[in-house]
Amino acid sequence: MHDVIASYFPVLVFGVIAVGIAGAMLGGSLLAGHQKPYAEKTSAYECGFEAFDDARRRFDVRFYLVAILFIIFDLEVAFLFPWAVSLSHVGLFGFLSMLGFLGMLTVGFIYEWCKGALDWD
Amino acid sequence: MTSSAAIFAIAVLAPLGGSLIAGLFGRIIGDRPAQAITIGLMAAACASAIATLFSGVPQDMGTAVVSLGHWIDAGGFHANWSLRADMLSLSMVAMVTTISLCVHIYSVGYMNHEEMPTYRFFSYLSLFTFAMLMLVTSNDLIQLFFGWEGVGLVSYLLIGYWYDKPSAVAAAIKAFVVNRVADLFFLVGIALLFLQFGSVTYDNIFAVVPAQVGATYHLFGTDWPVFEVIGTLLFIGAMGKSAQLFLHTWLPDAMEGPTPVSALIHAATMVTAGVFLMARMSPLLEFAPGTKTLIVLIGGTTCFFAATVGLVQPDIKRTIAYSTCSQLGYMFMAAGVGVYQASIFHLTTHAFFKALLFLGAGSVIHAIHGEQDMFRMGGLWRKIPFTYAVMWIGSLALAGVFPFAGYWSKDGILEAMWAAQSGPATYGWAMGVVTAFITALYSWRLIFLVFHGTPRDAHLSEHAHEGGIAIVLPLGILGVGAVLAGVLLDRFYIGTAQAQFWQGSIVNGAGAAVMNRMEEVPGLIALAPSIAGLLGIAVAYLAYMARPELPASLARSLRPVYLFLLNKWYFDELYDVLFVRPYRALARILWKGADEGVVEQVPVGLARLTVGTAVQAARTQSGSIAIYAFTMLIGLVVLTTTLLFVH
Amino acid sequence: MNWIIAFPELVLTLCGLVILTVGVVQKKSTNPFAACSMLTIAAFAITGFLVTVSPDGSGYEHVFVNDGFARFMKVLSLIGGALATIMTLSYRGTSGGGRFELPVLILFSTIGTMLMASSDNMMTLFVGLELSSLAIYILCAFDRDSVVSSESGLKYFILGSLASGLLLYGISLTYGYGGTMEYGAIRTVLIQSGGASLGLMLGIVFLIAGLAFKLSAVPFHMWTPDVYQGAPTPVTAYLAGAPKIATFALILRIMAGPFGALAPQWQLLIEMISVLSMVFGSLAAIPQTNIKRLMAYSSIGHMGYALMGLAAATPGGIRGTLVYLTTYLFMNVGVFAGIAAMRRKGHETTDIADLSGLGRTSPGLALMMAIFMFSMLGMPPTAGFFGKLMVFSAAYGAGLYGLLAIGAITSAIGAYYYLRIVKVMYFDASAPAFDTRSPSLAFLSVSMGIVTALFVLVLGPVTSAAQAAASALIG
């Protein structure tokens, strides 16, 4: 068991050093810096606008829906690239498998379309 | 199975059939048919028994065994269901079935005022008869014990027949418990017998008894002769069943049962089982002189003790119950000097006249609607003259007046005691003679109090009348028996023809000399019991007819003695202090301390602990995801650590 | 390419896609729920038949295997899925009316469980597990308008992700130290090297942890009561059936197969988990007042008993576990069919007190529930007895006497809360009667009751099938 633990010893060293340096920097600026806070300085900065609302507010769930649908089809594309490159090696079975995969995604697409997930209103 | 064997089997098994039919189907077929069936089967059994007795044991073999089937075969231990037919068992079977038939018939009349159906009663009666017959026809000690416990069970059931009466239930439990105490000794005796002889069958045991006379147990630093130990254990068992001194306390209380039960079980048959056991085990007891001495001492003392107590009892049935106890003492005395024939003779005659007395007393009680206190009776002889007559016959037989049955058997016993010519036997003789006087005294006290003088309770005796034919008929039969049994059987049981009659089923050993000397007892000694009896009658007349105030003044002037007798020598109180209270205290400690304190608290505590843990366990389920995830990680760490440790 | 060995899975997937499409293209006015449910049940039936006739073999570059063990587990999974789908027929959410996605999601989850049963590679292990679990996350939160349902879905998802993380970490450790993810190859490596490195052992611990989460075995059980209570009743019934069986398929396969040589090492861990599950399951159930929550603890305890067979690490033990799971599947569905029937004026009630006097108001249902409770506590001659008997005798045969003793004690404690239900049903004052049972629930509870009570009649075939499955795994 010692060899496993011992092999992680550099990680521990690295962690200690990282914490040490970060602590030194923060602590140093806290000690050495000249601090004079006022309202303008501590308020949120929005590209020059006056901040008109709190940033931590609820977004419409539709944003998430769109994001998730995007991710699904994005990953599909990410899956298509290696397939396209190696199409000559995977043969007919590989081709048909991808067609099956795409068919499945199509069913999913039909589903979300029919359910109205693609309509904003 | 030959035809005679079949007839013998009918004699034993017919009562079982009657009992089962009446007990299981009585509710369906009704009361009258149940009674008719039990009586019919009982009559068949009785006829078969008498036929077997007269045909005798076939081919002079002395013993015939009718095998009915295997019971226990475990290793070297074998016990079979079988019926042993020798003269001892045949005579017992004939006696038991005859008395039982009379009691069955009598019960029809006696129990006709019951509110509940009586098929249960008749079923019990027949079941008792069957158990008693199994006892007397047993060929090994295990079947004997089966019958022994069977009669004990039915005795319990019948004493507590009126189960809504607390005193009856208490009496039933008392009888059962006292008998269990004795039975424990008996069972140990049987076990030791098996250990010693490797068999429980009579013939196997008796065949090797003489060869093992010197065997001893080494216990507590002393050598104990095997036969003395076994004999004493068996005798203690017999003491319980036959209500001998120290284990007698249940018998008077057993009078809580219906009177026919008292007649059948607690006078004529079951209580004589102990005497029968002594006769049955005679080949063994003959080699246990110490035990025999003990038997004589206990028998003689019981005989005197019970008679003195019977002298002052106000209850008619209890008076007769103590008389039974006393007469059983006579029987044991005879067995103690080795004259078992005289025991069995007295057992048989006693069965007739004591059943007669009980049934007569029952007839009196029936006539005056359940009253049992003799001091509330009186002047009944005009109302129930037949009962009066049979009570006279019974009392004459009990007192041993010539030529009634008791004369022959009691004289035989007392002559044997004299002829035995030993210290204990002479003690027994003296006790017997004194008791003969007291017996006559309390018998006529009973007769005078119940039948003579002026009615003390006019209301009670006003409507007194004889019972129906069902009551009169058995009284008549038993009356005849009480008159004739002695004179007819004397020759066969103890007289000149006894050796041919018993055909070796009773072994006398040293007692044989006593048998011979019985004929040479001096005349005055032979007459002593009769004289004592007549004297007793005379004193009774004096005290209860001529000078009725005498007993009361005597009781006043000798108050301590009177109280001593009235309270039965304070045996119940003594046992209460010696056994009942300590036992109850022990039981209470075990109940409160061991049972409720430990046995109950452990599971209850466990249950509480479980519930407490359960609530804590459920509390960990707080609903917080963070804690859930944290628990998982802790679990992972624990698993990993465990693995690292064992790796 | 031996693609035919996965034919049942392919067919079921195709059916699922078709049913989904059919369901979603319907007009708004028609509710395709009932039709989709029936189609799903039919798909399960067809697949079940195909599974029984599917050939043995390994394929798809050693990621998929079909053998007697896989077939046994797949048939159980399909039965579990089909029974749960039958139960959904009568399901009405808080907002009323069923949605057709419910049976389709059960179908997709069941495909995942089949894949788990056939996994021959850590890849298929994870993909199958996730396919099954993702569908269940949605199923748990299916009653969108109910707070508790959403809560249960969310909790299961978050904790399930954590467990998946542990599992993945275990897989990566195994791959890192074993050099392969194929079961057969791992086995060969372990036999050749004559033992496992510490890293590989740690990998096994993480694998066990990840799988134990799905089994709801202590100490990875925390999600169970909340999820069982919050999820819609048919989903809970499904959750306690097919996924657990498939997870057992996984754990049995990897423990007996690739890690079979390391039995002495992992046996202790399985024993610990088994003991903890039995003790916690029987104790924590005692104070419960909600019957679904009680069933959650009951299921924790039952997983402990089933793990006893694995802890024995013998063919007899595996057979015992398989028979145990079979009996558990049937009695569990029966109980949940009874719970689903606990409705008053259309609203679900799940308090144990609501069962009061059921013996008088609804004697048939009460009788069935009583049968299930007696079976749960292992009373002969019900189904539960035989399962317990087999795992107990396997533990005895393996010399695990401590485990056996704890099993016996916790069974006795468990008897308390099972019998309490019987007592409430038969001896307490009557509560108002429930609504009339729908035919599907009546069918389920009666048929499961018959199976549970008369299990002894099929004990022979089930045992020999389990024996064949166990020997396919070990022999």
Side-chain angles (χ1 to χ4, degrees):
Chain A
M1 86 179 243
H2 292 291
D3 54 338
V4 173
I5 306 247
S7 64
Y8 280 94
F9 184 70
V11 179
L12 184 69
V13 171
F14 181 79
V16 168
I17 292 174
V19 170
I21 290 174
M25 286 162 79
L26 285 173
S29 67
L30 200 67
L31 289 175
H34 183 70
Q35 309 209 357
K36 200 186 258 181
Y38 51 95
E40 286 293 316
K41 209 179 197 176
T42 54
S43 66
Y45 176 72
E46 293 234 7
C47 310
F49 290 107
E50 288 283 309
F52 50 79
D53 207 350
D54 188 10
R56 296 177 186 81
R57 68 180 189 119
R58 289 189 185 185
F59 289 89
D60 195 313
V61 74
R62 279 175 290 210
F63 289 111
Y64 295 101
L65 200 56
V66 169
I68 286 174
L69 293 180
F70 165 74
I71 288 174
I72 289 174
F73 289 101
D74 194 36
L75 282 177
E76 173 197 357
V77 174
F79 191 36
L80 279 173
F81 285 128
W83 169 74
V85 171
S86 59
L87 194 54
S88 55
H89 302 285
V90 295
L92 183 64
F93 185 77
F95 177 72
L96 291 176
S97 296
M98 183 49 83
L99 281 194
F101 176 69
L102 290 178
M104 236 180 270
L105 274 178
T106 312
V107 172
F109 184 66
I110 294 170
Y111 177 78
E112 67 198 29
W113 196 340
C114 291
K115 275 282 163 179
L118 300 178
D119 303 333
W120 191 255
D121 295 314
Chain B
M1 201 184 278
T2 60
S3 63
S4 62
I7 291 174
F8 189 50
I10 287 173
V12 176
L13 297 178
L16 176 64
S19 170
L20 290 178
I21 292 171
L24 298 178
F25 306 109
R27 191 198 298 262
I28 301 165
I29 60 178
D31 229 17
R32 284 290 161 191
Q35 293 176 354
I37 286 169
T38 49
I39 290 174
L41 286 168
M42 210 48 241
C46 183
S48 310
I50 290 173
T52 324
L53 181 64
F54 276 105
S55 63
V57 181
Q59 292 109 34
D60 284 337
M61 279 160 49
T63 308
V65 176
V66 181
S67 183
L68 298 180
H70 292 280
W71 182 14
I72 302 170
D73 285 306
F77 185 87
H78 302 283
N80 295 331
W81 295 111
S82 48
L83 307 178
R84 180 186 175 94
D86 59 11
M87 287 314 290
L88 180 58
S89 64
L90 289 186
S91 60
M92 287 295 288
V93 168
M95 186 276 284
V96 169
T97 50
T98 309
I99 304 286
S100 178
L101 178 62
C102 290
V103 169
H104 270 77
I105 297 170
Y106 180 87
S107 300
V108 175
Y110 189 82
M111 301 297 281
N112 65 356
H113 295 312
E114 285 291 296
E115 287 170 10
M116 282 188 296
T118 55
Y119 61 83
R120 183 167 66 94
F121 184 74
F122 281 85
S123 172
Y124 288 166
L125 280 186
S126 284
L127 182 64
F128 165 78
T129 312
F130 166 70
M132 187 71 199
L133 293 174
M134 287 306 276
L135 193 162
V136 297
T137 61
S138 62
N139 192 39
D140 57 41
L141 282 158
I142 299 301
Q143 187 181 329
L144 178 93
F145 194 70
F146 166 79
W148 193 268
E149 295 299 307
V151 293
L153 167 70
V154 185
S155 168
Y156 164 80
L157 291 172
L158 282 171
I159 295 170
Y161 181 77
W162 288 311
Y163 52 75
D164 49 357
K165 216 164 94 180
S167 61
V169 176
I173 293 173
K174 184 174 180 183
F176 203 70
V177 171
V178 173
N179 270 295
R180 288 294 76 65
V181 172
D183 289 350
L184 178 65
F185 289 91
F186 185 25
L187 203 56
V188 173
I190 293 175
L192 289 179
L193 268 175
F194 177 72
L195 210 62
Q196 186 69 26
F197 298 102
S199 171
V200 287
T201 312
Y202 298 141
D203 292 335
N204 296 347
I205 294 172
F206 297 156
V208 287
V209 162
Q212 303 200 359
V213 137
T216 53
Y217 293 122
H218 191 77
L219 199 64
F220 308 125
T222 326
D223 285 331
W224 303 78
V226 167
F227 292 168
E228 296 287 1
V229 171
I230 292 175
T232 306
L233 288 170
L234 296 186
F235 175 58
I236 294 174
M239 279 167 67
K241 194 62 80 191
S242 294
Q244 291 303 286
L245 196 59
F246 304 119
L247 290 171
H248 66 281
T249 52
W250 65 272
L251 183 61
D253 288 359
M255 298 302 127
E256 291 287 347
T259 309
V261 172
S262 310
L264 177 63
I265 299 180
H266 305 120
T269 55
M270 182 186 85
V271 291
T272 61
V275 180
F276 169 80
L277 178 69
M278 294 296 106
R280 178 54 89 202
M281 300 310 289
S282 57
L284 183 84
L285 286 178
E286 282 306 307
F287 293 96
T291 305
K292 286 171 70 181
T293 307
L294 179 68
I295 297 175
V296 173
L297 292 178
I298 294 277
T301 313
T302 306
C303 170
F304 173 72
F305 149 77
T308 57
V309 176
L311 202 50
V312 297
Q313 294 301 313
D315 185 306
I316 183 169
K317 282 180 70 182
R318 278 174 185 258
T319 304
I320 307 178
Y322 277 106
S323 162
T324 303
C325 196
S326 170
Q327 298 300 312
L328 288 165
Y330 276 111
M331 298 178 207
F332 274 102
M333 278 199 307
V337 295
V339 189
Y340 306 98
Q341 289 89 335
S343 293
I344 299 296
F345 187 28
H346 195 53
L347 188 162
T348 310
T349 58
H350 174 257
F352 282 103
F353 63 70
K354 190 50 64 63
L356 177 65
L357 280 173
F358 260 120
L359 294 186
S363 177
V364 171
I365 295 165
H366 189 69
I368 55 174
H369 307 109
E371 181 55 56
Q372 299 194 6
D373 188 349
M374 291 192 287
F375 289 104
R376 301 187 62 193
M377 302 176 189
L380 283 171
W381 72 276
R382 286 176 200 283
K383 304 272 186 182
I384 41 175
F386 182 78
T387 306
Y388 176 57
V390 294
M391 287 300 275
W392 260 93
I393 294 173
S395 297
L396 285 169
L398 174 63
V401 173
F402 182 85
F404 293 93
Y407 165 78
W408 304 93
S409 52
K410 196 191 280 181
D411 265 19
I413 288 176
L414 288 174
E415 281 169 13
M417 298 311 292
W418 179 263
Q421 291 175 340
S422 69
T426 311
Y427 166 77
W429 179 83
M431 283 294 163
V433 173
V434 173
T435 305
F437 167 75
I438 306 175
T439 305
L441 184 54
Y442 65 67
S443 297
W444 268 269
R445 168 178 174 264
L446 187 156
I447 286 180
F448 293 144
L449 280 177
V450 173
F451 294 102
H452 291 273
T454 50
R456 293 176 191 79
D457 191 330
H459 177 70
L460 264 185
S461 55
E462 199 174 349
H463 300 292
H465 59 88
E466 289 286 1
I469 180 73
I471 288 188
V472 171
L473 179 69
L475 286 177
I477 296 171
L478 292 171
V480 171
V483 175
L484 296 179
V487 66
L488 289 182
L489 298 177
D490 181 54
R491 203 168 73 83
F492 300 108
Y493 273 62
I494 57 172
T496 47
Q498 64 96 2
Q500 297 94 305
F501 179 77
W502 291 113
Q503 291 178 357
S505 57
I506 294 175
V507 174
N508 284 103
V514 179
M515 289 288 287
N516 294 333
R517 280 203 298 275
M518 275 168 65
E519 307 302 322
E520 299 145 19
V521 170
L524 195 60
I525 299 298
L527 279 179
S530 300
I531 295 169
L534 292 174
L535 208 60
I537 300 174
V539 171
Y541 180 79
L542 186 70
Y544 293 94
M545 292 295 287
R547 304 269 312 276
E549 74 284 356
L550 194 62
S553 68
L554 207 60
R556 263 196 306 281
S557 55
L558 295 174
R559 186 161 179 78
V561 178
Y562 171 71
L563 282 180
F564 183 65
L565 296 181
L566 189 66
N567 287 303
K568 304 154 261 177
W569 291 27
Y570 293 104
F571 263 108
D572 279 340
E573 287 74 10
L574 183 70
Y575 284 180
D576 192 50
V577 173
L578 277 186
F579 302 116
V580 179
R581 283 172 196 279
Y583 182 77
R584 184 176 291 162
L586 180 68
R588 200 177 167 75
I589 290 168
L590 290 176
W591 167 32
K592 291 287 181 190
D595 188 51
E596 286 190 354
V598 178
V599 178
E600 212 172 289
Q601 284 306 311
V602 167
V604 167
L606 272 178
R608 290 223 180 91
L609 185 70
T610 309
V611 170
T613 321
V615 171
Q616 292 301 322
R619 202 167 283 169
T620 61
Q621 214 72 43
S622 59
S624 155
I625 282 192
I627 290 180
Y628 289 5
F630 191 56
T631 310
M632 286 170 64
L633 292 178
I634 289 176
L636 186 71
V637 169
V638 169
L639 288 187
T640 314
T641 316
T642 313
L643 184 89
L644 292 178
F645 267 107
V646 299
H647 189 61
Chain C
M1 195 47 113
N2 191 8
W3 64 274
I4 196 78
I5 53 171
F7 189 60
E9 282 83 352
L10 294 175
V11 169
L12 191 59
T13 311
L14 200 61
C15 290
L17 295 174
V18 170
I19 295 167
L20 186 65
T21 316
V22 167
V24 80
V25 298
Q26 296 293 319
K27 291 192 184 68
K28 297 278 183 207
S29 55
T30 57
N31 188 347
F33 173 68
C36 285
S37 295
M38 299 310 255
L39 284 174
T40 307
I41 295 165
F44 279 134
I46 293 166
T47 316
F49 170 74
L50 291 176
V51 166
T52 55
V53 298
S54 62
D56 277 3
S58 175
Y60 302 96
E61 307 291 337
H62 297 294
V63 298
F64 192 94
V65 67
N66 198 28
D67 55 12
F69 178 75
R71 276 195 293 275
F72 188 89
M73 288 316 219
K74 282 181 196 175
V75 169
L76 283 188
S77 291
L78 286 167
I79 292 173
L83 294 176
T85 314
I86 295 174
M87 207 183 294
T88 61
L89 281 174
S90 71
Y91 174 70
R92 301 287 177 274
T94 310
S95 46
R99 284 177 289 136
F100 75 93
E101 288 89 344
L102 188 56
V104 177
L105 283 169
I106 291 178
L107 190 151
F108 285 136
S109 173
T110 309
I111 294 171
T113 63
M114 291 175 73
L115 201 56
M116 288 154 82
S118 267
S119 95
D120 199 20
N121 189 305
M122 296 284 174
M123 262 329 187
T124 19
L125 181 156
F126 185 71
V127 170
L129 192 69
E130 284 305 300
L131 179 53
S132 161
S133 298
L134 281 169
I136 295 174
Y137 299 147
I138 305 169
L139 282 171
C140 284
F142 197 76
D143 196 358
R144 284 187 302 202
D145 299 325
S146 154
V147 176
V148 285
S149 180
S150 307
E151 178 196 339
S152 81
L154 192 64
K155 276 186 177 168
Y156 192 33
F157 176 64
I158 292 174
L159 294 173
S161 307
L162 178 60
S164 294
L166 297 179
L167 191 69
L168 274 178
Y169 191 51
I171 291 174
S172 62
L173 279 174
T174 310
Y175 180 63
Y177 285 91
T180 174
M181 286 201 281
E182 280 173 30
Y183 295 166
I186 295 174
R187 187 181 176 81
T188 319
V189 165
L190 281 176
I191 289 171
Q192 280 167 357
S193 64
S197 61
L198 185 64
L200 190 60
M201 288 308 301
L202 282 175
I204 295 177
V205 175
F206 277 89
L207 277 172
I208 290 177
L211 293 177
F213 173 83
K214 295 290 171 194
L215 289 182
S216 66
V218 181
F220 309 100
H221 64 285
M222 299 296 275
W223 58 277
T224 321
D226 294 355
V227 172
Y228 270 45
Q229 187 180 1
T233 305
V235 174
T236 314
Y238 176 74
L239 191 55
K244 295 226 155 105
I245 285 165
T247 312
F248 251 108
L250 278 182
I251 199 165
L252 288 176
R253 195 184 278 284
I254 62 170
M255 289 305 158
F259 304 133
L262 302 178
Q265 273 91 353
W266 55 254
Q267 234 176 334
L268 182 69
L269 301 182
I270 300 291
E271 271 177 58
M272 279 173 63
I273 293 175
S274 170
V275 166
L276 288 172
S277 301
M278 289 190 289
V279 171
F280 185 83
S282 57
L283 282 178
I286 290 176
Q288 301 307 327
T289 56
N290 183 298
I291 189 159
K292 281 168 82 175
R293 214 170 163 82
L294 180 120
M295 287 309 295
Y297 289 106
S298 158
S299 130
I300 292 172
H302 278 291
M303 289 306 115
Y305 293 116
L307 280 170
M308 267 171 101
L310 177 60
T314 57
I318 290 175
R319 187 191 67 178
T321 298
L322 294 184
V323 173
Y324 197 97
L325 290 173
T326 313
T327 61
Y328 179 66
L329 176 68
F330 290 114
M331 59 196 185
N332 182 62
V333 169
V335 175
F336 278 104
I339 296 174
M342 292 168 62
R343 301 183 82 89
R344 288 210 185 93
K345 298 196 175 72
H347 292 287
E348 196 170 49
T349 56
T350 49
D351 276 356
I352 292 173
D354 288 319
L355 287 167
S356 299
L358 194 67
R360 287 177 292 278
T361 55
S362 179
L365 180 62
L367 176 67
M368 291 306 147
M369 286 297 266
I371 289 175
F372 299 132
M373 290 304 151
F374 279 113
S375 179
M376 287 273 180
L377 72 88
M379 178 82 78
T382 54
F385 165 71
F386 296 105
K388 270 215 176 75
L389 179 69
M390 285 194 179
V391 291
F392 276 40
S393 61
Y396 177 80
L400 306 173
Y401 304 119
L403 193 60
L404 198 61
I406 291 170
I409 293 169
T410 54
S411 291
I413 300 175
Y416 165 73
Y417 60 81
Y418 292 128
L419 291 181
R420 183 160 64 104
I421 307 251
V422 177
K423 173 240 161 198
V424 166
M425 288 194 301
Y426 282 97
F427 298 108
D428 282 7
S430 296
F434 292 131
D435 297 349
T436 318
R437 265 186 295 169
S438 68
S440 61
L441 291 181
F443 164 76
L444 271 184
S445 63
V446 170
S447 55
M448 292 306 110
I450 290 170
V451 171
T452 307
L454 302 180
F455 189 76
V456 65
L457 298 181
V458 294
L459 181 65
V462 169
T463 310
S464 53
Q467 179 70 51
S471 48
L473 200 59
I474 279 193

